[in-house]
């Protein structure tokens, strides 16, 4: 068996005494950790609790473990929500894989004026794959909070509440360093990245009306997926 401290697994159900893993996660436990009955593993419910468990063995439908200890992990502050303009499907999957390890609480896909090919019209049929990508990336980074993956919304309908610090990635903005102190005083931050082609002037006006700050955080032009991960990484580093 490999060192269990290097792996974190997602329990689809968790109680004070027992953890339950679905068939897919059970296969992952067996193939990656090479776990057998009696071995120790670490798991989370995706809601901020870290469990130490003793594996009880696998069946065709899944597996379970007895809880030895449980600990609520302190929330990262300020909390981060990513609003990202929808690129192509494979690029969106890349966004999920890259930003989920960076301590987000939610990801909100935005249908923008520049978004092309409405592949998201079949969102309900694709959500399971997206959730799997998000879950895998989150567990690999040993995080106990699984970001909520929201359904796509129009920019005009996205909920940017008053008092929320909102950073809008834009090459014409001020250096992101100008916003560091304000961000660290905040309790919640919205990070906004446009689709390929960027936000339209109308969409920028929507965010600016919500008191968003246009920020520059690269000396070069970035793809949507790269920009999303870069912005998240910078703000996440400020929380260290």
């Amino acid at each position: 068996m490999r060192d269990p401290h290097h792996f974190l697994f997602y329990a689809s159900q968790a109680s004070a005494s027992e953890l339950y893993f679905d068939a897919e996660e059970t296969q992952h436990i067996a193939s990656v950790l090479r776990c057998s009955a009696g071995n120790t593993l670490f798991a989370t419910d995706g809601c901020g609790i870290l469990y130490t468990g003793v594996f009880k063995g696998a069946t065709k439908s899944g597996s379970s473990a007895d809880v030895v200890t449980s600990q609520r992990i302190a929330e990262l502050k300020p909390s981060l929500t990513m609003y990202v303009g929808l690129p192509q499907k494979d690029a969106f999957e890349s966004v999920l894989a890259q930003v989920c390890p960076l301590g987000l609480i939610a990801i909100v896909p935005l249908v923008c004026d520049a978004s092309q090919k409405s592949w998201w019209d079949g969102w309900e049929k694709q959500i399971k794959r997206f959730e799997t990508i998000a879950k895998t990336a989150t567990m690999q980074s040993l995080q106990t909070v699984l970001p909520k993956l929201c359904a796509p919304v129009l920019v005009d309908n996205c909920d940017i509440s008053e008092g929320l610090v909102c950073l809008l990635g834009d090459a014409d903005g001020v250096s992101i360093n100008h916003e560091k102190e304000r961000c660290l005083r905040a309790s919640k931050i919205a990070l906004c990245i446009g689709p390929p082609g960027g936000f339209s002037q109308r969409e920028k006006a929507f965010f600016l009306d919500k008191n968003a700050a246009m920020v520059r955080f690269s000396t070069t032009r970035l793809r949507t997926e790269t920009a999303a991960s870069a912005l998240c990484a910078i703000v996440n580093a400020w929380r260290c």
Side-chain angles (χ1 to χ4, degrees), residues 163 197-198 203:
E203 291 166 339

Side-chain angles (χ1 to χ4, degrees), residues 38-118:
N39 290 152
T40 297
L41 54 71
F42 296 95
T44 182
D45 57 358
C47 298
I49 299 179
L50 175 64
Y51 295 93
T52 303
V54 175
F55 194 58
K56 296 171 66 175
T59 65
K60 291 183 179 180
S61 60
S63 59
S64 62
D66 289 324
V67 173
V68 178
T69 64
S70 63
Q71 175 187 4
R72 179 164 292 280
I73 304 301
E75 296 180 11
L76 290 171
K77 293 294 183 182
S79 65
L80 306 180
T81 297
M82 167 60 68
Y83 293 82
V84 59
L86 280 163
Q88 295 299 317
K89 181 180 175 182
D90 58 344
F92 179 70
E93 292 178 351
S94 181
V95 169
L96 295 177
Q98 292 182 44
V99 303
C100 284
L102 296 171
L104 299 171
I105 63 167
I107 300 168
V108 183
L110 298 177
V111 179
C112 302
D113 293 341
S115 296
Q116 301 177 0
K117 296 184 179 179
S118 303

Side-chain angles (χ1 to χ4, degrees), residues 83-87 110 112 168-169 192-199 223-225 227:
Y83 293 82
V84 59
L86 280 163
L110 298 177
C112 302
L168 178 68
C192 306
I193 293 294
F199 289 120
R223 293 167 62 95
T224 295
E225 55 269 44

